[in-house]
Amino acid sequence: ETRLDDVAGIIRSVRQASRNRSVAVLVGGPVLVARPELAVVMGADATAMDGPTAVMQAERFCRSRGDSPGKPGTYGHIF
């Protein structure tokens, strides 16, 4: 539980420090594969079970917001 709190604190810090008020946070790892609901508890926007899936999730997230993944000035550029 302490690590969960640590990650939640880091996510809050990223959101506070970001100049992008709509910054998206994607998390992953073995614990989140087993318990994806923890991503919500941590304050993340999405989770993925591996790197390639994370890229697809990030691109999907950007498109859902109307952004072009990888285009400077958009959310895709952040990932």
Side-chain angles (χ1 to χ4, degrees), residues 6 31 63 68 70 79:
D6 290 345
V31 171
R63 280 193 298 276
S68 297
F79 294 101

Side-chain angles (χ1 to χ4, degrees), residues 5-37:
D5 293 337
D6 290 345
V7 173
I10 291 167
I11 291 172
R12 279 193 303 277
S13 294
V14 165
R15 292 188 191 283
Q16 289 171 355
S18 177
R19 294 187 326 200
N20 179 348
R21 291 294 120 206
S22 299
V23 65
V25 178
L26 179 69
V27 294
V31 171
L32 292 162
V33 169
R35 297 192 52 206
E37 71 277 5

Side-chain angles (χ1 to χ4, degrees), residues 24-69:
V25 178
L26 179 69
V27 294
V31 171
L32 292 162
V33 169
R35 297 192 52 206
E37 71 277 5
L38 291 178
V40 174
V41 174
M42 288 184 219
D45 297 297
T47 186
M49 54 192 296
D50 56 34
T53 305
V55 171
M56 288 188 296
Q57 283 283 72
E59 289 173 345
R60 187 176 309 129
F61 198 80
C62 291
R63 280 193 298 276
S64 75
R65 291 185 172 190
D67 301 318
S68 297

